[in-house]
Amino acid sequence: MHNPAADLERRRIALYGWMLLAPALILLITFAFLPAVETVWASLFSKGTIRRPSQFVGVDNYFAMFSDPAFKKVVTNNLIYAGITIPVSIAIALGMALWANAQIVGRGFVRAAYFTPTMLPMIAAANLWLFFYTPDLGVIDRITALFGFPSVNWLGQQETALYSVIAVTIWKEAGFYMIFYLAALQTISPELKEAATVEGAGRWTYTRRVVLPLLMPTTMFVFVNAVINSVKLIDHLFILTKGGPDNASKLVLYWVWEMAFAYFDTPAAATMTTLILIVLGVVAAIQFIVLERRVHYR
Amino acid sequence: MSLIASTTPRRNAIALPSLDAIGAWVLAIVWISPLMFAVWAAFHTPEGALSFKLSAPLTLENFRVAWDSAPWPRYFLNTVLLVSVILAGQLTLCTLAGYAFARFEFPGRDVIFILVLMQLFVLPEVLIVENYVMISRLGLFDTIFGIGVPYMASAFGIFLLRQAFKSVPQELEEAARVEGCGWFGVLWRVYIPAARPTYLAYALVSVATHWNNFLWPLVVTNSTSTRPLTVGLSLFGATESGVNIAVVSAATLMVIAPLFVGFILFQRQFIQAFLRAGIR
């Protein structure tokens, strides 16, 4: 049955819908989708000079990048960075949440202390940590000196620079993830605890068999956030190490920034950015598939 | 610790909390110590700051030196303008888009929604190079609006408001329609008031995020009249290469003070806002 009035109404509603969406869509296209496509496109061209203009080179930039030892170093660094910051900050966040949820003296202070780093800009956090890492005069060296250890140039030597940066990230992020665990813990019904106690389960068994499984969705959510942060959280490098010494603490996005804005090598920056986009795309796809299976939000 | 707990489930209510409390407190003190040392350093002379003697004399000199050596009032103003511009843009755009996704049926809507969600992963931070080109092309380089505009169509804000609008009972909308409201009247009178807690949460998270944002503002600013506090602070740290830790600490505390005082005063709301908002 064809109803012209209802047809018209439907079209009118569709038009309103698109009009409401338009401003946001235009900005999303301008600052997310178009730049993403342009990045991939730019990665297929050579770096132009005055004498030799930029020309199409296909995937040459990718081969050039893969054979660059600096690229290997930076990607390895980022994998180590992600491989440590993600699990450690999630584990600490979980511990913090369990403690911040327990009946302890001064719980308000404890919660605030855990959460405080989240409120600070990463640049400020890095400044605070400089005070810890400074050789001889810094807090860490002062404390280790009490036990007779020699002074260490934490940020200035290859062996420790990346790990010093990692420590700052964990410190900054754990309290943020704690919040989500805290929220999830508060939704767990106290009856479960009572039932477990009646069954003779100890606290460890209860935590491992009841609490942790119930926290799995939260862990998934926090994990995705932590992955994204392991790519985008590089502000502290500008203060602490500038990626040095000799690339020892350089991360992928810092490398992109340096290529584009210090060496003006746009194709190299675009090539690396394309790889980052692919990795984030895979993470997004995984999350959508998992979410789709668990909750279909309507 | 866990071993004791599992063998004496009844008694741990009295005996163990102290052990838990000790662990929790130790971690809390470790976690807050960088900030505590910065406070210590900021109120002492450079020599006193490094001596760790409780008797070292207190001073406000570091704050004076820090305040005089960079255009802080301008940076503060820029940051306040920046977070306001972003928030105003986000609230407007995300409200309209969230409303469209929540209450309007039209072909292609779900595909567009998935595309919008993709932006949660295609972060402005990752696209700094091409976004820099785009902003320059639009003539927005080194303007406050230019720093803010890539964040305005926030996929996250659209998602949050869509969820909030969807949970509003349809009857409220119908009642408003009976009283003669058009789509804008319904949005203004029914949906926006109903979503007020979501707006508050989103606003707090947005302000905190952009107050602290650094990389993108660093890329698209080039002058004192646009630089936000974070970029100003990074430059300040760079010029003080003589590592006067006391002055850097004072400057750092000045930068974090407004947000920090706000956090202390509205701690519960802040934490609840982050909870409600989920992701940034």
Side-chain angles (χ1 to χ4, degrees):
Chain A
M1 273 260 281
H2 196 68
N3 183 345
D7 225 33
L8 194 69
E9 174 68 8
R10 207 173 313 134
R11 259 191 240 161
R12 204 174 57 91
I13 287 180
L15 182 68
Y16 278 162
W18 281 104
M19 271 165 48
L20 290 168
L21 272 187
L25 271 189
I26 290 169
L27 285 194
L28 277 176
I29 290 168
T30 315
F31 296 108
F33 300 122
L34 206 55
V37 173
E38 282 183 316
T39 301
V40 178
W41 185 243
S43 75
L44 304 175
F45 284 82
S46 67
K47 184 183 174 186
T49 58
I50 296 169
R51 289 226 311 248
R52 250 185 342 155
S54 161
Q55 52 177 218
F56 188 82
V57 293
V59 290
D60 281 8
N61 288 328
Y62 291 86
F63 286 115
M65 191 170 73
F66 290 142
S67 58
D68 179 1
F71 166 80
K72 282 195 199 109
K73 180 73 186 160
V74 170
V75 169
T76 313
N77 283 345
N78 222 133
L79 288 176
I80 296 173
Y81 183 76
I84 296 178
T85 55
I86 296 170
V88 173
S89 51
I90 289 179
I92 293 178
L94 183 58
M96 284 175 166
L98 289 170
W99 271 335
N101 199 40
Q103 298 294 331
I104 56 167
V105 187
R107 193 168 66 172
F109 164 77
V110 166
R111 274 188 195 182
Y114 295 160
F115 189 69
T116 297
T118 300
M119 297 305 304
L120 308 179
M122 201 52 167
I123 287 291
N127 275 342
L128 303 186
W129 278 81
L130 264 186
F131 195 25
F132 271 55
Y133 284 139
T134 311
D136 291 323
L137 303 171
V139 174
I140 295 179
D141 269 12
R142 289 297 186 91
I143 292 170
T144 53
L146 293 178
F147 300 98
F149 289 103
S151 154
V152 177
N153 189 357
W154 296 99
L155 298 168
Q157 60 176 23
Q158 305 239 4
E159 299 76 31
T160 50
L162 181 61
Y163 299 97
S164 305
V165 170
I166 286 173
V168 177
T169 307
I170 293 170
W171 174 77
K172 181 80 167 64
E173 289 301 291
F176 182 54
Y177 304 145
M178 169 197 74
I179 295 293
F180 301 107
Y181 278 121
L182 201 51
L185 283 176
Q186 286 172 356
T187 64
I188 296 177
S189 137
E191 277 115 59
L192 279 174
K193 170 94 192 174
E194 279 160 32
T197 315
V198 170
E199 296 286 324
R203 195 169 70 152
W204 173 242
T205 315
Y206 169 72
T207 305
R208 202 170 43 113
R209 293 284 179 78
V210 180
V211 175
L212 291 187
L214 285 173
L215 292 178
M216 266 322 281
T218 313
T219 304
M220 176 66 199
F221 171 81
V222 168
F223 176 78
V224 169
N225 263 282
V227 170
I228 292 175
N229 279 340
S230 73
V231 172
K232 78 166 187 185
L233 213 60
I234 57 157
D235 298 357
H236 48 333
L237 292 185
F238 286 86
I239 297 281
L240 293 174
T241 64
K242 302 199 188 302
D246 196 18
N247 290 344
S249 64
K250 197 168 288 173
L251 299 175
V252 169
L253 191 55
Y254 191 91
W255 191 87
V256 168
W257 176 83
E258 208 176 49
M259 276 296 159
F261 298 105
Y263 304 133
F264 303 104
D265 189 345
T266 315
T271 309
M272 184 69 107
T273 307
T274 305
L275 287 187
I276 299 177
L277 288 177
I278 291 171
V279 170
L280 290 178
V282 170
V283 175
I286 292 172
Q287 200 203 13
F288 282 138
I289 292 165
V290 171
L291 271 183
E292 202 69 35
R293 236 193 275 154
R294 208 180 48 235
V295 283
H296 37 97
Y297 38 82
R298 279 180 40 88
Chain B
M1 177 186 71
S2 51
L3 202 77
I4 304 169
S6 60
T7 50
T8 57
R10 270 281 83 195
R11 248 193 304 149
N12 67 19
I14 318 149
L16 256 179
S18 60
L19 204 56
D20 263 338
I22 291 166
W25 274 78
V26 168
L27 191 63
I29 288 164
V30 168
W31 233 246
I32 201 133
S33 60
L35 195 60
M36 290 292 112
F37 279 111
V39 172
W40 165 269
F43 289 100
H44 289 85
T45 60
E47 301 76 40
L50 294 166
S51 74
F52 297 112
K53 286 200 186 84
L54 282 176
S55 58
L58 294 171
T59 172
L60 288 173
E61 182 66 10
N62 300 315
F63 288 93
R64 200 190 58 74
V65 172
W67 184 259
D68 287 346
S69 42
W72 295 111
R74 183 73 220 195
Y75 293 154
F76 268 103
L77 178 69
N78 293 341
T79 291
V80 169
L81 286 176
L82 176 64
V83 297
S84 312
V85 164
I86 292 178
L87 187 61
Q90 283 175 334
L91 292 183
T92 313
L93 294 179
C94 299
T95 299
L96 296 180
Y99 186 42
F101 281 125
R103 284 292 183 247
F104 286 77
E105 293 278 353
F106 52 90
R109 186 187 67 173
D110 295 341
V111 176
I112 299 286
F113 187 59
I114 297 286
L115 274 179
V116 167
L117 288 187
M118 282 304 289
Q119 197 245 351
L120 291 174
F121 295 88
V122 184
L123 313 155
E125 283 80 12
V126 174
L127 295 170
I128 42 173
V129 183
E130 291 299 333
N131 269 339
Y132 165 81
V133 174
M134 184 66 81
I135 285 289
S136 309
R137 215 184 276 157
L138 297 172
L140 294 172
F141 178 73
D142 203 24
T143 62
I144 302 249
F145 185 73
I147 314 174
V149 70
Y151 293 102
M152 285 179 188
S154 149
F156 174 53
I158 294 172
F159 177 74
L160 267 188
L161 288 171
R162 169 186 179 266
Q163 303 303 91
F165 292 157
K166 267 182 172 295
S167 66
V168 175
Q170 200 97 55
E171 293 79 46
L172 286 177
E173 171 168 354
E174 275 148 26
R177 289 221 184 272
V178 170
E179 284 179 23
C181 284
W183 67 266
F184 186 76
V186 170
L187 176 63
W188 191 252
R189 300 254 180 85
V190 177
Y191 286 101
I192 292 179
R196 197 173 289 149
T198 306
Y199 278 108
L200 181 67
Y202 183 70
L204 282 177
V205 172
S206 168
V207 168
T209 306
H210 291 287
W211 189 283
N212 293 343
N213 198 14
F214 169 72
L215 184 61
W216 172 246
L218 172 75
V219 167
V220 283
T221 57
N222 200 20
S223 62
T224 304
S225 60
T226 52
R227 264 179 210 130
L229 276 171
T230 46
V231 178
L233 181 63
S234 78
L235 293 176
F236 181 77
T239 52
E240 293 290 301
S241 49
V243 192
N244 185 344
I245 209 88
V247 175
V248 172
S249 294
T252 306
L253 290 185
M254 279 178 350
V255 167
I256 65 179
L259 205 57
F260 199 73
V261 170
F263 168 61
I264 299 291
L265 289 179
F266 301 104
Q267 204 194 108
R268 182 165 301 167
Q269 286 87 336
F270 250 109
I271 291 186
Q272 241 138 37
F274 273 88
L275 284 180
R276 189 185 283 275
I279 16 173
R280 276 182 276 194

